[in-house]
Amino acid sequence: MSSRRNLANAVRALSMDAVQKANSGHPGAPMGMADIAEVLWNDYLRHNPANPKWVDRDRFVLSNGHGSMLIYSLLHLTGYGMSIEDLKSFRQLHAKTPGHPEYGYAEGVETTTGPLGQGITNGVGMAIAEKVLAGQFNRPGHDIVDHYTYVFLGDGCLMEGISHEACSLAGALGLGKLIALYDDNNISIDGEVRGHGDTPAWFLDDTPKRFEAYGWHVIPEVDGHDPEAIKAAIEEARGITDKPSIICCQTIIGWGSPNKQGKEDCHGAPLGADEIALTRETIGWEHGPFEVPQEVYDGWDGKTKGAELEAGWNARFDAYAAAFPAEAAEFKRRMAGDLPDNWSEAADAFIASVVEKGETIASRKASQNALNGFGPLLPEFLGGSADLAGSNLTIWKGSKGVGKAECSGNYLYYGVREFGMSAIMNGIALHGGFIPYGATFLMFSEYARNALRMAALMRIPSIFVYTHDSIGLGEDGPTHQPVEQIPTLRMIPNMNVWRPCDAVESAVAWKAAVERRDGPSSLIFSRQNLAHMDRSDDQITAITRGGYVLRDCEGTPDAIIIATGSEVDLAVRAAEAMSGKAVRVVSMPSTDVFDAQDEDYRESVLPRAVTARVAVEAAVTDGWWKYVGSGGAVVGIDRFGESAPAGELFKEFGFTVDNVVAAVNGAL
């Protein structure tokens, strides 16, 4: 039977071999954290390599994602579908082993990590999901949701501000099933973070005190190369149930490399053939590149234990189902990501009621109405807001707050943490069992931008809600008035962006976001009231196609006005003012959804023969030229706003009937 050290050395050997073969990568972190990983994965992590999606598995997140060969080695050794050939293809095109762990490439990778700090934040989201799901489904004597979230993280994660946002909230929520293992190796790419010689320090935080202040249980100064010390620390952390735990593991980066361990030299570059040979000798690894003896595989194998763990859970779930059949069926539905059987019919009925009311209201209010309409149908809703619930209108009649003691609710008070909120939502979505939505002012999507990108990259269904969508915000001024945010959100690949023009489009946008399973949605709503638009049944159906003819004319149009959100009403009034011209108005609440339609449909809405086109949107104009062409015009805003009442600002920046009519006439 292989010793713990020999099992850990398999990770070290595979990691340095893969990085060397690729001539690219980060061997230091996997080599330094191998002992920690060995104890966690062999003694504690509840998982089943034969069923990587087992719902009650522990979640493992490698937040310091540059050390990706650590998780790839672990997946290979424990019996996942990660072959030795996959390891040899590290960092190569279309491999299961990209440079940073990518969700969807290899089974067992729970989230995409690389942008530092987001992994720990995803982990907070996963732990929240576990806590809330347990609160909603567990019953006395029947704990069907009972798993941990373990996160490996390094100095870089702790330097990123998002880690503060997430870890502070984790402490407030008392996430006792979250355990972070901090790789305290004093090294980042630039060298020793606490300084050395003539190099000044750049990270002198007292991490234990920092996390104590957050309300975490802190286990300091653990020897990260002593399996017994690591085991004792994990035992201690698992014994604390009312707060998250951080285990501060003091390690040596690149452990085992005689000339490069403890130095930045092994952080982000191959060790080199000569150093690898010396390392093999130093650690006693007597095997060639990518060679692992059977006894080491036997020591790592997780399939037998994993099957036993899942079988035990299946038996417990069967007992739960016998006692609580309705709850068991609901749990299976939610974890499968299926919508309720009555969803489509009931959602359409709600939209019909919105049409019938024909209200002139702010689209943020229409969004809240949609939550009240859809919320009772969707117990999987897990909403929240970054401290602006009263403005974002994200609390609906069935909202119930989640707190340290109250874990069965469906609403999170995120505080002023836009970036943290968004990455936490991604973790919730990745965990499963919920449809997460979270809100802030559109302007502050900037703080969250990289989390939005990660949601799109991972193709997960997070719903980002943004209100106060333009200079219509008014008196708060240009610091709060978004002008470039809508266009840049549209530029994120795989992000569906909706900017509805009234209550009906708002309800349809929400329905589309709920039904989308292959990526995130950004829903953008107004502060000010928006007029109701009359539509036929066919037009209501066409909203789901992203763009449609809202107001048509006889015959071939002389001109087409395209608009979104609050500017649709302006476009309609401008068209009506041009009584001598045949003017079509196209509402385009989602440009990317429209772009995904077939060519015949797009041609029916925007016929090529009509070159006199004007786009109207209170935002930066650049993205609209692909719709209006070089002979068209865009009424937009290519500068920052001003502080004044909304009505005055719209006049000041040319959002008037006269100006739109002039733009159309100029295009004719």
Side-chain angles (χ1 to χ4, degrees), residues 60-103:
F60 174 77
V61 176
L62 183 68
S63 189
N64 45 342
H66 53 270
S68 56
M69 270 309 303
L70 175 68
I71 192 169
Y72 299 151
S73 300
L74 293 168
L75 294 175
H76 170 71
L77 291 167
T78 56
Y80 287 78
M82 178 73 70
S83 70
I84 202 72
E85 293 304 314
D86 291 324
L87 301 188
K88 291 179 180 179
S89 298
F90 178 56
R91 288 186 164 227
Q92 305 308 300
L93 185 63
H94 301 315
K96 290 183 180 180
T97 50
H100 292 83
E102 301 282 354
Y103 178 74

mmCIF file of all heavy atoms in Angstrom, residues 60-103:
data_model
loop_
_atom_site.group_PDB
_atom_site.id
_atom_site.type_symbol
_atom_site.label_atom_id
_atom_site.label_comp_id
_atom_site.label_asym_id
_atom_site.label_seq_id
_atom_site.Cartn_x
_atom_site.Cartn_y
_atom_site.Cartn_z
ATOM 1 N N PHE A 60 -16.151 20.510 -4.950
ATOM 2 C CA PHE A 60 -14.755 20.905 -4.823
ATOM 3 C C PHE A 60 -14.452 21.979 -5.844
ATOM 4 O O PHE A 60 -14.688 21.797 -7.043
ATOM 5 C CB PHE A 60 -13.823 19.713 -5.028
ATOM 6 C CG PHE A 60 -12.363 20.102 -5.037
ATOM 7 C CD1 PHE A 60 -11.697 20.374 -3.853
ATOM 8 C CD2 PHE A 60 -11.659 20.217 -6.229
ATOM 9 C CE1 PHE A 60 -10.358 20.757 -3.858
ATOM 10 C CE2 PHE A 60 -10.323 20.598 -6.246
ATOM 11 C CZ PHE A 60 -9.669 20.855 -5.053
ATOM 12 N N VAL A 61 -13.914 23.099 -5.384
ATOM 13 C CA VAL A 61 -13.605 24.227 -6.255
ATOM 14 C C VAL A 61 -12.128 24.570 -6.108
ATOM 15 O O VAL A 61 -11.647 24.807 -4.995
ATOM 16 C CB VAL A 61 -14.460 25.457 -5.901
ATOM 17 C CG1 VAL A 61 -14.051 26.660 -6.758
ATOM 18 C CG2 VAL A 61 -15.947 25.162 -6.087
ATOM 19 N N LEU A 62 -11.426 24.603 -7.225
ATOM 20 C CA LEU A 62 -10.032 25.045 -7.254
ATOM 21 C C LEU A 62 -10.034 26.518 -7.655
ATOM 22 O O LEU A 62 -9.992 26.856 -8.838
ATOM 23 C CB LEU A 62 -9.220 24.209 -8.248
ATOM 24 C CG LEU A 62 -7.719 24.522 -8.325
ATOM 25 C CD1 LEU A 62 -7.010 24.122 -7.036
ATOM 26 C CD2 LEU A 62 -7.084 23.828 -9.530
ATOM 27 N N SER A 63 -10.119 27.400 -6.655
ATOM 28 C CA SER A 63 -10.236 28.827 -6.946
ATOM 29 C C SER A 63 -8.967 29.375 -7.588
ATOM 30 O O SER A 63 -9.046 30.224 -8.478
ATOM 31 C CB SER A 63 -10.573 29.604 -5.672
ATOM 32 O OG SER A 63 -10.902 30.951 -5.963
ATOM 33 N N ASN A 64 -7.802 28.912 -7.135
ATOM 34 C CA ASN A 64 -6.545 29.283 -7.792
ATOM 35 C C ASN A 64 -6.385 28.418 -9.046
ATOM 36 O O ASN A 64 -5.536 27.521 -9.118
ATOM 37 C CB ASN A 64 -5.352 29.161 -6.835
ATOM 38 C CG ASN A 64 -5.326 27.894 -6.023
ATOM 39 O OD1 ASN A 64 -6.337 27.212 -5.879
ATOM 40 N ND2 ASN A 64 -4.175 27.559 -5.443
ATOM 41 N N GLY A 65 -7.198 28.752 -10.043
ATOM 42 C CA GLY A 65 -7.374 27.873 -11.198
ATOM 43 C C GLY A 65 -6.151 27.690 -12.065
ATOM 44 O O GLY A 65 -6.097 26.750 -12.866
ATOM 45 N N HIS A 66 -5.152 28.579 -11.932
ATOM 46 C CA HIS A 66 -3.922 28.372 -12.703
ATOM 47 C C HIS A 66 -3.256 27.047 -12.332
ATOM 48 O O HIS A 66 -2.511 26.485 -13.126
ATOM 49 C CB HIS A 66 -2.947 29.533 -12.493
ATOM 50 C CG HIS A 66 -2.656 29.825 -11.051
ATOM 51 N ND1 HIS A 66 -3.397 30.717 -10.311
ATOM 52 C CD2 HIS A 66 -1.708 29.342 -10.218
ATOM 53 C CE1 HIS A 66 -2.919 30.774 -9.087
ATOM 54 N NE2 HIS A 66 -1.903 29.940 -8.994
ATOM 55 N N GLY A 67 -3.516 26.550 -11.140
ATOM 56 C CA GLY A 67 -2.994 25.244 -10.727
ATOM 57 C C GLY A 67 -3.843 24.088 -11.232
ATOM 58 O O GLY A 67 -4.022 23.089 -10.539
ATOM 59 N N SER A 68 -4.343 24.203 -12.441
ATOM 60 C CA SER A 68 -5.331 23.265 -12.971
ATOM 61 C C SER A 68 -4.856 21.824 -13.033
ATOM 62 O O SER A 68 -5.662 20.903 -12.949
ATOM 63 C CB SER A 68 -5.782 23.704 -14.370
ATOM 64 O OG SER A 68 -4.655 23.828 -15.248
ATOM 65 N N MET A 69 -3.553 21.618 -13.177
ATOM 66 C CA MET A 69 -3.087 20.235 -13.213
ATOM 67 C C MET A 69 -3.333 19.513 -11.893
ATOM 68 O O MET A 69 -3.325 18.285 -11.860
ATOM 69 C CB MET A 69 -1.618 20.161 -13.594
ATOM 70 C CG MET A 69 -1.347 20.053 -15.087
ATOM 71 S SD MET A 69 -2.286 18.740 -15.926
ATOM 72 C CE MET A 69 -1.807 17.285 -15.006
ATOM 73 N N LEU A 70 -3.566 20.229 -10.838
ATOM 74 C CA LEU A 70 -3.936 19.591 -9.576
ATOM 75 C C LEU A 70 -5.254 18.860 -9.731
ATOM 76 O O LEU A 70 -5.349 17.660 -9.439
ATOM 77 C CB LEU A 70 -4.017 20.628 -8.457
ATOM 78 C CG LEU A 70 -4.518 20.092 -7.097
ATOM 79 C CD1 LEU A 70 -3.503 19.138 -6.496
ATOM 80 C CD2 LEU A 70 -4.788 21.261 -6.137
ATOM 81 N N ILE A 71 -6.285 19.550 -10.210
ATOM 82 C CA ILE A 71 -7.589 18.904 -10.321
ATOM 83 C C ILE A 71 -7.598 17.870 -11.439
ATOM 84 O O ILE A 71 -8.227 16.817 -11.312
ATOM 85 C CB ILE A 71 -8.718 19.940 -10.488
ATOM 86 C CG1 ILE A 71 -10.080 19.257 -10.311
ATOM 87 C CG2 ILE A 71 -8.634 20.691 -11.816
ATOM 88 C CD1 ILE A 71 -11.228 20.221 -10.187
ATOM 89 N N TYR A 72 -6.887 18.123 -12.532
ATOM 90 C CA TYR A 72 -6.842 17.126 -13.600
ATOM 91 C C TYR A 72 -6.175 15.842 -13.106
ATOM 92 O O TYR A 72 -6.633 14.733 -13.422
ATOM 93 C CB TYR A 72 -6.100 17.668 -14.816
ATOM 94 C CG TYR A 72 -6.721 18.892 -15.441
ATOM 95 C CD1 TYR A 72 -5.934 19.832 -16.102
ATOM 96 C CD2 TYR A 72 -8.091 19.116 -15.391
ATOM 97 C CE1 TYR A 72 -6.491 20.954 -16.687
ATOM 98 C CE2 TYR A 72 -8.666 20.239 -15.971
ATOM 99 C CZ TYR A 72 -7.845 21.162 -16.608
ATOM 100 O OH TYR A 72 -8.401 22.281 -17.183
ATOM 101 N N SER A 73 -5.113 15.978 -12.334
ATOM 102 C CA SER A 73 -4.454 14.796 -11.774
ATOM 103 C C SER A 73 -5.374 14.049 -10.829
ATOM 104 O O SER A 73 -5.459 12.815 -10.854
ATOM 105 C CB SER A 73 -3.168 15.211 -11.042
ATOM 106 O OG SER A 73 -2.253 15.842 -11.905
ATOM 107 N N LEU A 74 -6.091 14.782 -9.991
ATOM 108 C CA LEU A 74 -7.019 14.165 -9.044
ATOM 109 C C LEU A 74 -8.139 13.427 -9.769
ATOM 110 O O LEU A 74 -8.528 12.319 -9.386
ATOM 111 C CB LEU A 74 -7.599 15.232 -8.113
ATOM 112 C CG LEU A 74 -6.608 15.893 -7.154
ATOM 113 C CD1 LEU A 74 -7.229 17.121 -6.493
ATOM 114 C CD2 LEU A 74 -6.137 14.911 -6.092
ATOM 115 N N LEU A 75 -8.678 14.031 -10.820
ATOM 116 C CA LEU A 75 -9.748 13.390 -11.577
ATOM 117 C C LEU A 75 -9.245 12.116 -12.246
ATOM 118 O O LEU A 75 -9.944 11.101 -12.286
ATOM 119 C CB LEU A 75 -10.309 14.360 -12.619
ATOM 120 C CG LEU A 75 -11.032 15.596 -12.067
ATOM 121 C CD1 LEU A 75 -11.437 16.527 -13.200
ATOM 122 C CD2 LEU A 75 -12.247 15.201 -11.238
ATOM 123 N N HIS A 76 -8.051 12.175 -12.771
ATOM 124 C CA HIS A 76 -7.471 10.979 -13.386
ATOM 125 C C HIS A 76 -7.230 9.879 -12.361
ATOM 126 O O HIS A 76 -7.636 8.723 -12.558
ATOM 127 C CB HIS A 76 -6.155 11.337 -14.085
ATOM 128 C CG HIS A 76 -5.371 10.148 -14.544
ATOM 129 N ND1 HIS A 76 -5.775 9.351 -15.596
ATOM 130 C CD2 HIS A 76 -4.216 9.594 -14.060
ATOM 131 C CE1 HIS A 76 -4.904 8.367 -15.759
ATOM 132 N NE2 HIS A 76 -3.940 8.497 -14.840
ATOM 133 N N LEU A 77 -6.603 10.204 -11.269
ATOM 134 C CA LEU A 77 -6.205 9.195 -10.287
ATOM 135 C C LEU A 77 -7.396 8.557 -9.585
ATOM 136 O O LEU A 77 -7.367 7.366 -9.263
ATOM 137 C CB LEU A 77 -5.271 9.832 -9.258
ATOM 138 C CG LEU A 77 -3.880 10.241 -9.772
ATOM 139 C CD1 LEU A 77 -3.178 11.138 -8.759
ATOM 140 C CD2 LEU A 77 -3.027 9.002 -10.074
ATOM 141 N N THR A 78 -8.452 9.333 -9.353
ATOM 142 C CA THR A 78 -9.587 8.810 -8.591
ATOM 143 C C THR A 78 -10.602 8.068 -9.439
ATOM 144 O O THR A 78 -11.518 7.442 -8.895
ATOM 145 C CB THR A 78 -10.294 9.922 -7.811
ATOM 146 O OG1 THR A 78 -10.698 10.957 -8.704
ATOM 147 C CG2 THR A 78 -9.372 10.491 -6.737
ATOM 148 N N GLY A 79 -10.454 8.130 -10.791
ATOM 149 C CA GLY A 79 -11.297 7.279 -11.615
ATOM 150 C C GLY A 79 -12.341 7.965 -12.461
ATOM 151 O O GLY A 79 -13.255 7.311 -12.970
ATOM 152 N N TYR A 80 -12.236 9.295 -12.632
ATOM 153 C CA TYR A 80 -13.136 9.983 -13.550
ATOM 154 C C TYR A 80 -12.722 9.693 -14.996
ATOM 155 O O TYR A 80 -11.714 9.053 -15.249
ATOM 156 C CB TYR A 80 -13.111 11.494 -13.292
ATOM 157 C CG TYR A 80 -13.824 11.923 -12.021
ATOM 158 C CD1 TYR A 80 -13.225 11.766 -10.781
ATOM 159 C CD2 TYR A 80 -15.096 12.472 -12.075
ATOM 160 C CE1 TYR A 80 -13.872 12.149 -9.616
ATOM 161 C CE2 TYR A 80 -15.760 12.875 -10.917
ATOM 162 C CZ TYR A 80 -15.142 12.704 -9.700
ATOM 163 O OH TYR A 80 -15.800 13.082 -8.544
ATOM 164 N N GLY A 81 -13.512 10.199 -15.933
ATOM 165 C CA GLY A 81 -13.198 9.987 -17.347
ATOM 166 C C GLY A 81 -12.085 10.883 -17.834
ATOM 167 O O GLY A 81 -12.202 11.551 -18.865
ATOM 168 N N MET A 82 -10.995 10.914 -17.116
ATOM 169 C CA MET A 82 -9.827 11.723 -17.433
ATOM 170 C C MET A 82 -8.646 10.775 -17.650
ATOM 171 O O MET A 82 -8.047 10.287 -16.697
ATOM 172 C CB MET A 82 -9.539 12.701 -16.302
ATOM 173 C CG MET A 82 -8.300 13.578 -16.517
ATOM 174 S SD MET A 82 -8.514 14.849 -17.746
ATOM 175 C CE MET A 82 -9.659 15.964 -16.927
ATOM 176 N N SER A 83 -8.339 10.498 -18.897
ATOM 177 C CA SER A 83 -7.321 9.501 -19.216
ATOM 178 C C SER A 83 -5.926 10.096 -19.137
ATOM 179 O O SER A 83 -5.743 11.311 -19.080
ATOM 180 C CB SER A 83 -7.559 8.948 -20.620
ATOM 181 O OG SER A 83 -7.262 9.935 -21.602
ATOM 182 N N ILE A 84 -4.927 9.227 -19.181
ATOM 183 C CA ILE A 84 -3.542 9.698 -19.205
ATOM 184 C C ILE A 84 -3.274 10.459 -20.492
ATOM 185 O O ILE A 84 -2.478 11.404 -20.521
ATOM 186 C CB ILE A 84 -2.562 8.513 -19.026
ATOM 187 C CG1 ILE A 84 -1.207 9.012 -18.500
ATOM 188 C CG2 ILE A 84 -2.411 7.716 -20.319
ATOM 189 C CD1 ILE A 84 -1.224 9.451 -17.059
ATOM 190 N N GLU A 85 -3.963 10.083 -21.582
ATOM 191 C CA GLU A 85 -3.817 10.820 -22.836
ATOM 192 C C GLU A 85 -4.366 12.229 -22.697
ATOM 193 O O GLU A 85 -3.843 13.170 -23.303
ATOM 194 C CB GLU A 85 -4.507 10.081 -23.980
ATOM 195 C CG GLU A 85 -3.847 8.749 -24.344
ATOM 196 C CD GLU A 85 -2.370 8.908 -24.684
ATOM 197 O OE1 GLU A 85 -2.039 9.841 -25.461
ATOM 198 O OE2 GLU A 85 -1.553 8.113 -24.169
ATOM 199 N N ASP A 86 -5.439 12.381 -21.915
ATOM 200 C CA ASP A 86 -5.973 13.717 -21.653
ATOM 201 C C ASP A 86 -4.939 14.575 -20.932
ATOM 202 O O ASP A 86 -4.789 15.763 -21.230
ATOM 203 C CB ASP A 86 -7.256 13.637 -20.823
ATOM 204 C CG ASP A 86 -8.415 13.037 -21.583
ATOM 205 O OD1 ASP A 86 -8.541 13.282 -22.797
ATOM 206 O OD2 ASP A 86 -9.220 12.304 -20.956
ATOM 207 N N LEU A 87 -4.225 13.981 -19.982
ATOM 208 C CA LEU A 87 -3.190 14.724 -19.270
ATOM 209 C C LEU A 87 -2.048 15.094 -20.212
ATOM 210 O O LEU A 87 -1.483 16.190 -20.108
ATOM 211 C CB LEU A 87 -2.660 13.912 -18.084
ATOM 212 C CG LEU A 87 -3.674 13.498 -17.012
ATOM 213 C CD1 LEU A 87 -2.944 12.875 -15.820
ATOM 214 C CD2 LEU A 87 -4.521 14.669 -16.550
ATOM 215 N N LYS A 88 -1.730 14.214 -21.133
ATOM 216 C CA LYS A 88 -0.678 14.505 -22.100
ATOM 217 C C LYS A 88 -1.087 15.617 -23.066
ATOM 218 O O LYS A 88 -0.236 16.239 -23.700
ATOM 219 C CB LYS A 88 -0.321 13.250 -22.894
ATOM 220 C CG LYS A 88 0.374 12.176 -22.067
ATOM 221 C CD LYS A 88 0.674 10.946 -22.916
ATOM 222 C CE LYS A 88 1.376 9.859 -22.103
ATOM 223 N NZ LYS A 88 1.641 8.644 -22.932
ATOM 224 N N SER A 89 -2.399 15.860 -23.162
ATOM 225 C CA SER A 89 -2.912 16.903 -24.056
ATOM 226 C C SER A 89 -3.157 18.214 -23.323
ATOM 227 O O SER A 89 -3.861 19.096 -23.827
ATOM 228 C CB SER A 89 -4.225 16.438 -24.710
ATOM 229 O OG SER A 89 -4.010 15.291 -25.505
ATOM 230 N N PHE A 90 -2.592 18.370 -22.147
ATOM 231 C CA PHE A 90 -2.768 19.563 -21.335
ATOM 232 C C PHE A 90 -2.505 20.826 -22.155
ATOM 233 O O PHE A 90 -1.511 20.944 -22.853
ATOM 234 C CB PHE A 90 -1.812 19.494 -20.141
ATOM 235 C CG PHE A 90 -1.837 20.677 -19.223
ATOM 236 C CD1 PHE A 90 -3.018 21.100 -18.630
ATOM 237 C CD2 PHE A 90 -0.665 21.360 -18.905
ATOM 238 C CE1 PHE A 90 -3.042 22.184 -17.767
ATOM 239 C CE2 PHE A 90 -0.671 22.436 -18.035
ATOM 240 C CZ PHE A 90 -1.860 22.859 -17.475
ATOM 241 N N ARG A 91 -3.440 21.744 -22.116
ATOM 242 C CA ARG A 91 -3.347 23.040 -22.780
ATOM 243 C C ARG A 91 -3.362 22.956 -24.306
ATOM 244 O O ARG A 91 -2.967 23.918 -24.976
ATOM 245 C CB ARG A 91 -2.131 23.835 -22.294
ATOM 246 C CG ARG A 91 -2.289 24.361 -20.864
ATOM 247 C CD ARG A 91 -1.168 25.258 -20.434
ATOM 248 N NE ARG A 91 -1.580 26.007 -19.230
ATOM 249 C CZ ARG A 91 -1.424 27.302 -19.052
ATOM 250 N NH1 ARG A 91 -0.868 28.026 -19.999
ATOM 251 N NH2 ARG A 91 -1.829 27.890 -17.928
ATOM 252 N N GLN A 92 -3.846 21.852 -24.862
ATOM 253 C CA GLN A 92 -3.910 21.718 -26.303
ATOM 254 C C GLN A 92 -5.343 21.898 -26.792
ATOM 255 O O GLN A 92 -6.303 21.761 -26.034
ATOM 256 C CB GLN A 92 -3.352 20.354 -26.732
ATOM 257 C CG GLN A 92 -1.943 20.071 -26.234
ATOM 258 C CD GLN A 92 -0.956 21.183 -26.550
ATOM 259 O OE1 GLN A 92 -0.731 21.510 -27.717
ATOM 260 N NE2 GLN A 92 -0.357 21.785 -25.519
ATOM 261 N N LEU A 93 -5.495 22.202 -28.071
ATOM 262 C CA LEU A 93 -6.786 22.539 -28.651
ATOM 263 C C LEU A 93 -7.809 21.431 -28.441
ATOM 264 O O LEU A 93 -7.560 20.270 -28.742
ATOM 265 C CB LEU A 93 -6.620 22.829 -30.150
ATOM 266 C CG LEU A 93 -7.856 23.314 -30.904
ATOM 267 C CD1 LEU A 93 -8.326 24.658 -30.357
ATOM 268 C CD2 LEU A 93 -7.562 23.408 -32.403
ATOM 269 N N HIS A 94 -8.966 21.800 -27.918
ATOM 270 C CA HIS A 94 -10.123 20.922 -27.705
ATOM 271 C C HIS A 94 -9.872 19.805 -26.691
ATOM 272 O O HIS A 94 -10.629 18.836 -26.629
ATOM 273 C CB HIS A 94 -10.598 20.305 -29.027
ATOM 274 C CG HIS A 94 -11.001 21.309 -30.058
ATOM 275 N ND1 HIS A 94 -11.790 22.401 -29.765
ATOM 276 C CD2 HIS A 94 -10.702 21.384 -31.387
ATOM 277 C CE1 HIS A 94 -11.980 23.115 -30.872
ATOM 278 N NE2 HIS A 94 -11.333 22.541 -31.853
ATOM 279 N N ALA A 95 -8.847 19.949 -25.880
ATOM 280 C CA ALA A 95 -8.576 18.937 -24.861
ATOM 281 C C ALA A 95 -9.522 19.107 -23.682
ATOM 282 O O ALA A 95 -10.118 20.175 -23.467
ATOM 283 C CB ALA A 95 -7.129 19.041 -24.383
ATOM 284 N N LYS A 96 -9.664 18.033 -22.891
ATOM 285 C CA LYS A 96 -10.408 18.109 -21.635
ATOM 286 C C LYS A 96 -9.625 18.859 -20.565
ATOM 287 O O LYS A 96 -10.150 19.094 -19.476
ATOM 288 C CB LYS A 96 -10.712 16.708 -21.110
ATOM 289 C CG LYS A 96 -11.728 15.916 -21.893
ATOM 290 C CD LYS A 96 -11.965 14.583 -21.203
ATOM 291 C CE LYS A 96 -12.971 13.732 -21.933
ATOM 292 N NZ LYS A 96 -13.200 12.429 -21.258
ATOM 293 N N THR A 97 -8.396 19.206 -20.888
ATOM 294 C CA THR A 97 -7.475 19.771 -19.913
ATOM 295 C C THR A 97 -6.963 21.139 -20.356
ATOM 296 O O THR A 97 -5.763 21.321 -20.594
ATOM 297 C CB THR A 97 -6.292 18.801 -19.713
ATOM 298 O OG1 THR A 97 -5.779 18.431 -21.021
ATOM 299 C CG2 THR A 97 -6.725 17.548 -18.969
ATOM 300 N N PRO A 98 -7.855 22.116 -20.479
ATOM 301 C CA PRO A 98 -7.406 23.463 -20.854
ATOM 302 C C PRO A 98 -6.534 24.088 -19.770
ATOM 303 O O PRO A 98 -6.429 23.556 -18.649
ATOM 304 C CB PRO A 98 -8.708 24.230 -21.055
ATOM 305 C CG PRO A 98 -9.719 23.480 -20.254
ATOM 306 C CD PRO A 98 -9.308 22.044 -20.267
ATOM 307 N N GLY A 99 -5.956 25.228 -20.090
ATOM 308 C CA GLY A 99 -5.007 25.865 -19.178
ATOM 309 C C GLY A 99 -5.579 26.174 -17.815
ATOM 310 O O GLY A 99 -4.885 26.089 -16.799
ATOM 311 N N HIS A 100 -6.838 26.561 -17.761
ATOM 312 C CA HIS A 100 -7.561 26.740 -16.501
ATOM 313 C C HIS A 100 -8.785 25.835 -16.530
ATOM 314 O O HIS A 100 -9.309 25.534 -17.600
ATOM 315 C CB HIS A 100 -7.976 28.203 -16.309
ATOM 316 C CG HIS A 100 -6.816 29.131 -16.087
ATOM 317 N ND1 HIS A 100 -6.073 29.644 -17.115
ATOM 318 C CD2 HIS A 100 -6.272 29.638 -14.954
ATOM 319 C CE1 HIS A 100 -5.113 30.426 -16.622
ATOM 320 N NE2 HIS A 100 -5.213 30.442 -15.316
ATOM 321 N N PRO A 101 -9.253 25.379 -15.379
ATOM 322 C CA PRO A 101 -10.412 24.487 -15.381
ATOM 323 C C PRO A 101 -11.616 25.164 -16.024
ATOM 324 O O PRO A 101 -11.972 26.279 -15.653
ATOM 325 C CB PRO A 101 -10.656 24.218 -13.888
ATOM 326 C CG PRO A 101 -9.349 24.516 -13.220
ATOM 327 C CD PRO A 101 -8.733 25.628 -14.017
ATOM 328 N N GLU A 102 -12.228 24.491 -16.982
ATOM 329 C CA GLU A 102 -13.366 25.036 -17.707
ATOM 330 C C GLU A 102 -14.572 24.129 -17.500
ATOM 331 O O GLU A 102 -14.537 22.943 -17.827
ATOM 332 C CB GLU A 102 -13.058 25.154 -19.209
ATOM 333 C CG GLU A 102 -11.862 26.032 -19.546
ATOM 334 C CD GLU A 102 -12.141 27.500 -19.477
ATOM 335 O OE1 GLU A 102 -13.317 27.883 -19.264
ATOM 336 O OE2 GLU A 102 -11.188 28.298 -19.625
ATOM 337 N N TYR A 103 -15.638 24.699 -16.972
ATOM 338 C CA TYR A 103 -16.874 23.953 -16.766
ATOM 339 C C TYR A 103 -17.398 23.430 -18.099
ATOM 340 O O TYR A 103 -17.490 24.160 -19.077
ATOM 341 C CB TYR A 103 -17.904 24.853 -16.104
ATOM 342 C CG TYR A 103 -19.252 24.209 -15.887
ATOM 343 C CD1 TYR A 103 -19.425 23.268 -14.881
ATOM 344 C CD2 TYR A 103 -20.348 24.557 -16.664
ATOM 345 C CE1 TYR A 103 -20.657 22.673 -14.661
ATOM 346 C CE2 TYR A 103 -21.586 23.979 -16.445
ATOM 347 C CZ TYR A 103 -21.734 23.034 -15.452
ATOM 348 O OH TYR A 103 -22.958 22.448 -15.241
#
